[in-house]
Amino acid sequence: MEMTLRWYGSKFDSVTLEQIRQIPMVKGVITTLYDTTPGQIWEQDRVNAMKEEVEAAGLRLSGIESVNIHDDIKVGLPSRDQYIENYITTLEHLGKADIHMVCYNFMPVFDWTRSDLKKPLPDGSTCLSYDQELVDKLDFEAMLSDMEANSDGFVLPGWEPERMARVKELFELYKDVDEEKLFQNLVYFLKAIMPTCKKYGINMAIHPDDPAWPVFNLPRIITGKEKIQRLLDAVPDKENGLTLCTGSLGSNPKNDIPDMIRSFKGRIHFGHVRNVIHLAPGKFDEAPHPSCLGSLDMYEIMKALHDIGFDGPIRPDHGRLIWGEVAMPGYGLYDRALGATYLYGLWEAICRNAK
């Protein structure tokens, strides 16, 4: 297992590479070219410069999150083939730079949804929160306004201003796309890129839908064990795999995450490990990482990863904003650093007990 932290780049992140390097046992970062747009080719010189910047700070570039997929691919428009070719070119450039893991998602319109970016907690910290009842009372434009007002000036992944300016157009684009069509378009995309992934040893790690159910009547296809297994079976290449995100899958209390980990042995390429606390059906807060503070058993999750011999990158994923920190919601330094050291402590104890 390789402990990492997500980093958005020096132009966009409040956290520096020098700070990340000081977190015990964090050896790598998961990053991206945050100022690129879906469908754009990542040029080789920019990929190389991104990697050189990370390595100059004494860290490893452990993977990319994300190379975003153009909506024409998700919808299945005739133009998708050109955008897939662009994606393949980007993968080639990553492979030539010795980068071998790409986390991505196939969610329509936006990547994730929360009803509150800064929910105050009794200890004075704030967390990301979701309440389906609140979401049902909002139209999408009202939610967008609320997200912008609570982002502290940071550009939120999946909610970029240029993308949200097209939100009505995007909803219209997806109006005839149901779960089956979205699934088949995903399979089409994966089959097209698998030869390049095999050539360069690149693992594609799809991120589960967040939350794990339809929002605003948009289809969701990566929400639980059966749907994930269907995708792995449809494209059986080992390079077609999963980002095991405990927070996204854990938003639905019916998902047995340790069981899923064991079931997907060999196909989990990346781990997002965080806790959530279920408050009511369709309502949850993102919790601190320790098991006793949320609804997920972090020990059993880490033990399942150990049991399957997982040796890829993981990251502590979202954290609260604590100690007065101003940062992108979910992506401050302090709580994620606490999460990383907690998860590594579990891992060390599990490894010792196994011996």
Side-chain angles (χ1 to χ4, degrees), residues 249-266:
L249 293 169
S251 63
N252 183 348
K254 295 181 180 179
N255 282 331
D256 184 338
I257 295 173
D259 172 68
M260 295 168 73
I261 292 170
R262 293 184 172 93
S263 298
F264 301 141
K265 179 180 179 179

Side-chain angles (χ1 to χ4, degrees), residues 213-334:
W213 56 78
V215 178
F216 294 113
N217 296 314
L218 293 165
R220 292 287 188 259
I221 58 173
I222 307 296
T223 57
K225 184 176 180 180
E226 290 184 4
K227 291 184 177 182
I228 293 170
Q229 189 63 60
R230 185 188 181 202
L231 178 63
L232 299 181
D233 291 343
V235 186
D237 309 74
K238 65 179 180 61
E239 291 81 6
N240 171 38
L242 175 67
T243 294
L244 193 286
C245 180
T246 65
S248 299
L249 293 169
S251 63
N252 183 348
K254 295 181 180 179
N255 282 331
D256 184 338
I257 295 173
D259 172 68
M260 295 168 73
I261 292 170
R262 293 184 172 93
S263 298
F264 301 141
K265 179 180 179 179
R267 304 293 288 276
I268 298 173
H269 300 318
F270 184 29
H272 289 180
V273 185
R274 61 179 167 89
N275 210 341
V276 296
I277 183 165
H278 301 128
L279 304 173
K283 183 177 181 179
F284 62 88
D285 288 348
E286 296 192 359
H289 285 78
S291 301
C292 63
L293 299 178
S295 299
L296 305 183
D297 191 329
M298 290 289 127
Y299 174 84
E300 288 298 333
I301 287 168
M302 295 298 285
K303 185 175 186 302
L305 288 168
H306 178 272
D307 290 348
I308 66 169
F310 178 75
D311 61 358
I314 74 167
R315 64 176 182 82
D317 205 14
H318 302 166
R320 300 163 299 145
L321 289 180
I322 63 174
W323 302 337
E325 185 176 20
V326 176
M328 183 187 298
Y331 285 100
L333 171 65
Y334 306 134

Side-chain angles (χ1 to χ4, degrees), residues 19 25 38 49-50 66 73 112 139 149 161 196 204 261 279 288 296 332:
Q19 290 170 325
M25 304 313 300
M50 172 179 62
S66 304
I73 299 174
W112 53 277
D139 61 35
T196 303
M204 296 296 297
I261 292 170
L279 304 173
L296 305 183

Side-chain angles (χ1 to χ4, degrees), residues 147-210:
M147 296 279 275
E148 289 177 345
N150 288 290
S151 66
D152 284 326
F154 290 91
V155 178
L156 301 173
W159 295 75
E160 295 82 4
E162 61 274 13
R163 181 171 179 78
M164 293 301 101
R166 300 175 52 230
V167 68
K168 289 183 179 179
E169 175 189 339
L170 289 171
F171 270 94
E172 181 68 18
L173 187 65
Y174 283 97
K175 70 177 182 178
D176 296 323
V177 179
D178 59 13
E179 284 192 11
E180 184 59 26
K181 186 173 182 180
L182 189 64
F183 177 82
Q184 294 302 333
N185 291 339
L186 172 55
V187 170
Y188 182 95
F189 163 73
L190 286 170
K191 287 184 174 179
I193 69 170
M194 279 297 108
T196 303
C197 292
K198 288 182 178 297
K199 179 179 178 180
Y200 290 98
I202 296 174
N203 290 323
M204 296 296 297
I206 192 166
H207 190 286
D209 301 333
D210 188 5

